[in-house]
Amino acid sequence: MEKKVIKKDALAGIVKKLAGQMPVYAPVQDQDNVLFKILEQGMEPMLDFGNTRNAPKNCFFPQAETMLKYFRTERGRELAGVVEGAPEAVLFGVRPCDARSFILLDYVFDDPKYKDTYYMERRRKTAIVTLACVHPPSTTCFCTSVGGHPMSSEGADIVLADLGDRYLAESLTDKGAAILKKFGDLANADDAALAKKKELSEKSEKEIKSIIPGNDIKPWLDANFDNPFWDTIHKSCLACGTCTYLCPTCHCFDITDEVKRDGGRRIRSWDSCMSWLFTQETSGHNPRTSQKERWRQRLLHKFRYFVDNYHAIACVGCGRCVQYCPVNIDIRKIVTDISKL
Amino acid sequence: MHTNPYVPIPVEVAKIITEVTTKDIKTFRFAFINKEDEENFNYLPGQFAELSIFGKGESPIGIASSPTQKGYLEFTVQRAGTVTSELHSMEEGTLMGVRGPLGNTWPIEYLKGKNIVVVGGGFAFTTLRSLINYMIHDDNRSQFGNITVVYGAREPGLLIYKDELALWEKRTDLALNVTVDKGDADWKGREGFVPAVCKDVAPSSENAVAVICGPPIMIRFTLPVFFDLGFSKDNIYTSLEMRMKCGIGKCGRCNVGHKYVCKDGPVFSLAELDKLTKEY
Ligand SMILES: Cc1cc2nc3c(=O)[nH]c(=O)nc-3n(C[C@H](O)[C@H](O)[C@H](O)COP(=O)(O)OP(=O)(O)OC[C@H]3O[C@@H](n4cnc5c(N)ncnc54)[C@H](O)[C@@H]3O)c2cc1C
Ligand code: SF4
Ligand code: SF4
Ligand code: FES
């Protein structure tokens, strides 16, 4: 595929221009946070940021979305319409860990038997532009321990690397090549640019100081569902759900109906396994009675069940749950502690 | 047909049967609005569907009719919360939706050529009724060996499908054992708990498979009876229940270990369950 270079000060303008032609989701400053949002007319993306507070999964799997609408008739309530269809779009400035998360979400939403129409339409029509991490943005990054790399192009249609004075832009798919054309007339990358990227890549990997034995704990997890260790991790958990909402790979959702006078809509919204309601049955029975079972579920889903089903850990090492947990529960420490048992 | 798995198929409530004296269990017969949907709704006993009422929500309910009964679907529903209460307040002729068929089936191919023991307790008899009607249908009966049924309820007024039980009673190709925990003045049949009746009936484990559904307490006491009779864990099947929403393995709600009850279940053999975490 194509390899081009972009002048350092030209990139923001190119993306701004692109946003005039199609929806472009990109990191923008929003009060104290950097968030993925659709670029409004004339807005430029942020290029100098660590990582966004919210994961880019919002773009394909929004926090809340209308699935279908219904209306009241004399004979009951009938379907008024299904909310489907998505425009071609670009998701710009995705960190490599988050780009990988889409490959993991695809396993769930693009299952051979059941395709999730809502996710899939946006996913298919959106090109992902990864902004490689020439320096790991945070001390909580641990992508290399769970199968990722700070300069990885996995999951990307285009990958950009900041070489200092210019960006190297590589398209990896047809979708990426088509978008790269829209970037305008760009010079071909020379050997020096490719060599520089390689050098930065090796350096960046070494700068990741947070290393956990992510791949080593599966046998212990397989054998120790009832281990007393599970009594030790959840005690301070508030069940606030922050870890699951901010996680790029968490995909659990609820379906609820909104009622207006003459009709209404069916909505899907994020849900969290950290809530007791998640598994509560009408009879009063709940298979996960305390926060202990819920924390165990969260960890086992990521490091055992997902591995059983799809041969991949459902954590990309972005560190958001570590950074934003209000009581400082640290999944890295839990995994490390387990590896010592 | 919609390729979007979240869009319900439109159906009409064609018939409502109140099954029990307490009136909180009813069987709903649905007719398809579109012929095309009817033709595409291919299911086997053991599967379930999401009953969908716009404005109220959806509930996963086992399909109680058999695919050999053409032109309609039946579900037997206990009034519990929002969706099931709305359903219970409906009248014939109302329009609503069905999403399915969902989940796996009783292991029909595996059951062929074997003697089948069906054990049900309470209103969890629904997909077992589907299985029995499927097996005794003229087109299918010769493919199965002896069929023994043990079905129990707390009291005579709580037995469901009474007309059908009377028809089955008359058949010579099916051994029906209906029991109640405690009879009343009019009750002429068996009295006793399901596990005790199973012990008494003592079906042979020779080339046999047991299919068991009921309240957890019934299952707990029935399994040892079948182990004693020589049934291996590979030859005992049951159906699990977990809270559900999507029904297609995406919303993450109904997992038992790495299996999603909605997509990989609800039917599991005891041997399969032994390999999963005990969290249901
Ligand atoms: C595979 C399967 C087959 C079932 N078959 C039958 C049947 O044949 N007859 C019958 O009466 N009941 C059956 N149930 C149980 C039935 O689904 C619940 O009683 C029902 O969902 C309660 O919904 P509600 O809206 O009335 O209650 P609410 O308390 O208002 O429930 C809200 C929602 O939570 C979910 N939910 C709550 N409890 C359960 C539960 N136990 N299982 C699954 N989802 C739940 C549903 O999405 C429900 O709409 C079955 C459950 C499963 C999983
Ligand atoms: S579990 Fe935590 S570190 Fe891993 S992907 Fe989710 S939010 Fe990021
Ligand atoms: S963010 Fe922390 S406190 Fe909140 S649910 Fe997750 S682990 Fe518990
Ligand atoms: S009900 Fe959604 S995953 Fe099973």
Side-chain angles (χ1 to χ4, degrees):
Chain A
M1 288 275 148
E2 306 240 45
K3 295 181 196 301
K4 303 281 185 187
V5 286
I6 304 173
K7 284 207 200 75
K8 192 73 188 268
D9 53 6
L11 182 61
I14 289 174
V15 179
K16 178 170 91 173
K17 204 172 135 224
L18 193 65
Q21 299 165 31
M22 54 169 61
V24 174
Y25 295 87
V28 294
Q29 188 76 41
D30 182 341
Q31 297 177 1
D32 290 342
N33 298 316
V34 179
L35 300 176
F36 274 102
K37 289 200 160 180
I38 288 203
L39 290 183
E40 312 271 348
Q41 190 69 35
M43 266 167 77
E44 286 187 355
M46 267 193 100
L47 295 174
D48 187 19
F49 64 100
N51 200 357
T52 52
R53 179 136 183 170
N54 61 351
K57 72 177 177 187
N58 294 45
C59 304
F60 305 149
F61 173 47
Q63 190 161 6
E65 68 181 306
T66 305
M67 305 177 88
L68 46 83
K69 294 182 177 162
Y70 66 90
F71 64 110
R72 272 176 206 277
T73 67
E74 276 175 10
R75 294 187 61 198
R77 301 182 189 91
E78 295 180 54
L79 185 70
V82 184
V83 180
E84 283 176 356
E88 285 192 14
V90 170
L91 176 51
F92 174 87
V94 179
R95 292 299 181 195
C97 56
D98 291 341
R100 260 192 89 227
S101 77
F102 293 120
I103 294 174
L104 303 174
L105 290 177
D106 286 350
Y107 288 130
V108 177
F109 289 125
D110 192 14
D111 171 86
K113 186 157 180 208
Y114 297 110
K115 308 274 177 210
D116 189 284
T117 316
Y118 305 95
Y119 172 93
M120 287 306 297
E121 287 195 350
R122 299 187 192 106
R123 174 85 169 101
R124 274 198 206 102
K125 291 206 171 139
T126 306
I128 294 173
V129 183
T130 290
L131 200 53
C133 298
V134 290
H135 298 293
S138 166
T139 54
T140 51
C141 294
F142 60 100
C143 57
T144 53
S145 298
V146 285
H149 188 281
M151 299 278 280
S152 163
S153 58
E154 225 184 318
D157 295 295
I158 297 175
V159 63
L160 299 175
D162 184 349
L163 305 180
D165 51 346
R166 53 191 182 153
Y167 287 96
L168 173 65
E170 298 165 274
S171 66
L172 300 140
T173 62
D174 291 341
K175 199 157 60 173
I179 295 297
L180 196 55
K181 275 214 179 68
K182 291 188 198 280
F183 275 29
D185 236 352
L186 302 173
N188 284 328
D190 45 49
D191 289 348
L194 299 178
K196 177 82 179 171
K197 181 182 173 188
K198 193 152 177 283
E199 179 199 322
L200 288 171
S201 177
E202 281 159 17
K203 243 176 77 199
S204 180
E205 184 181 336
K206 290 205 190 81
E207 282 178 35
I208 294 210
K209 295 288 183 259
S210 201
I211 308 285
I212 65 164
N215 287 307
D216 302 346
I217 61 168
K218 174 85 168 42
W220 189 91
L221 296 178
D222 282 340
N224 287 285
F225 190 72
D226 292 317
N227 195 286
F229 174 78
W230 299 114
D231 291 315
T232 65
I233 56 176
H234 68 281
K235 294 251 164 69
S236 58
C237 175
L238 310 170
C240 67
T242 301
C243 50
T244 51
Y245 294 141
L246 295 182
C247 178
T249 69
C250 279
H251 59 81
C252 292
F253 60 82
D254 197 3
I255 301 176
T256 47
D257 285 9
E258 186 184 80
V259 186
K260 295 252 172 71
R261 221 164 62 98
D262 303 317
R265 54 188 184 133
R266 184 159 286 169
I267 300 163
R268 137 152 105 192
S269 46
W270 294 348
D271 204 346
S272 172
C273 62
M274 300 311 261
S275 154
W276 65 276
L277 265 174
F278 192 64
T279 48
Q280 176 78 11
E281 292 169 23
T282 311
S283 62
H285 174 66
N286 195 334
R288 297 192 200 121
T289 46
S290 78
Q291 209 56 19
K292 167 187 159 180
E293 287 80 17
R294 289 164 215 140
W295 237 107
R296 179 172 62 189
Q297 161 66 19
R298 177 167 143 75
L299 199 82
L300 290 183
H301 183 216
K302 294 191 177 300
F303 287 87
R304 174 178 161 186
Y305 307 150
F306 211 85
V307 181
D308 282 333
N309 286 329
Y310 307 115
H311 310 289
I313 294 170
C315 165
V316 293
C318 73
R320 286 184 180 88
C321 60
V322 181
Q323 277 180 290
Y324 299 114
C325 172
V327 295
N328 299 322
I329 297 180
D330 187 336
I331 200 164
R332 298 172 303 171
K333 180 174 183 310
I334 294 169
V335 170
T336 308
D337 286 350
I338 287 176
S339 73
K340 293 182 189 145
L341 291 172
Chain B
M1 204 183 69
H2 248 287
T3 53
N4 181 334
Y6 298 102
V7 177
I9 298 163
V11 294
E12 177 191 10
V13 182
K15 192 173 168 192
I16 302 172
I17 301 158
T18 303
E19 296 280 0
V20 293
T21 44
T22 47
K23 297 196 165 52
D24 62 342
I25 298 171
K26 292 182 181 175
T27 294
F28 297 85
R29 178 178 289 187
F30 297 123
F32 293 91
I33 301 296
N34 306 314
K35 191 82 195 153
E36 196 194 11
D37 290 333
E38 183 181 327
E39 281 158 10
N40 287 323
F41 200 99
N42 294 313
Y43 71 101
L44 281 173
Q47 289 191 281
F48 69 98
E50 289 279 349
L51 300 191
S52 187
I53 305 177
F54 293 128
K56 296 292 173 184
E58 300 185 315
S59 273
I61 306 288
I63 307 177
S65 52
S66 154
T68 49
Q69 299 166 288
K70 301 283 181 213
Y72 61 86
L73 297 173
E74 280 180 354
F75 298 86
T76 303
V77 183
Q78 181 179 46
R79 188 172 62 227
T82 313
V83 176
T84 53
S85 299
E86 179 73 11
L87 194 62
H88 269 252
S89 72
M90 279 187 176
E91 287 167 13
E92 290 172 6
T94 311
L95 295 180
M96 54 173 283
V98 164
R99 213 151 57 71
L102 301 169
N104 66 355
T105 74
W106 294 119
I108 302 289
E109 285 309 312
Y110 183 68
L111 297 183
K112 285 183 180 165
K114 301 210 170 59
N115 299 319
I116 313 298
V117 185
V118 177
V119 182
F123 75 102
F125 195 48
T126 61
T127 64
L128 296 179
R129 175 223 192 190
S130 171
L131 177 65
I132 294 166
N133 278 327
Y134 180 85
M135 292 191 296
I136 65 175
H137 188 266
D138 287 348
D139 293 349
N140 301 331
R141 183 63 191 91
S142 63
Q143 300 180 54
F144 300 92
N146 299 331
I147 301 176
T148 308
V149 178
V150 177
Y151 169 49
R154 276 209 313 280
E155 49 189 86
L158 294 181
L159 289 166
I160 58 176
Y161 311 133
K162 285 190 200 64
D163 295 347
E164 225 160 46
L165 292 176
L167 291 175
W168 293 349
E169 188 68 61
K170 294 200 188 93
R171 291 182 76 112
T172 52
D173 62 349
L174 178 153
L176 180 67
N177 305 276
V178 178
T179 180
V180 293
D181 296 354
K182 182 123 190 49
D184 53 23
D186 298 330
W187 181 249
K188 305 220 165 45
R190 237 182 228 273
E191 272 190 31
F193 295 113
V194 166
V197 174
C198 291
K199 203 167 176 170
D200 190 32
V201 172
S204 162
S205 57
E206 185 74 29
N207 189 34
V209 180
V211 181
I212 306 177
C213 256
I217 181 110
M218 182 208 94
I219 298 202
R220 181 141 56 93
F221 288 105
T222 303
L223 291 181
V225 176
F226 279 82
F227 295 147
D228 286 348
L229 288 166
F231 282 79
S232 71
K233 288 183 167 181
D234 290 306
N235 285 326
I236 302 177
Y237 282 82
T238 190
S239 184
L240 290 192
E241 203 176 304
M242 285 286 275
R243 182 169 183 169
M244 292 185 180
K245 280 286 169 171
C246 70
I248 54 175
K250 312 228 183 284
C251 77
R253 196 172 302 270
C254 70
N255 73 295
V256 174
H258 68 294
K259 299 282 187 198
Y260 285 104
V261 173
C262 66
K263 181 169 69 96
D264 307 313
V267 173
F268 294 95
S269 71
L270 289 197
E272 288 167 328
L273 286 183
D274 265 359
K275 293 198 205 109
L276 299 178
T277 58
K278 300 278 162 295
E279 199 174 40
Y280 43 84

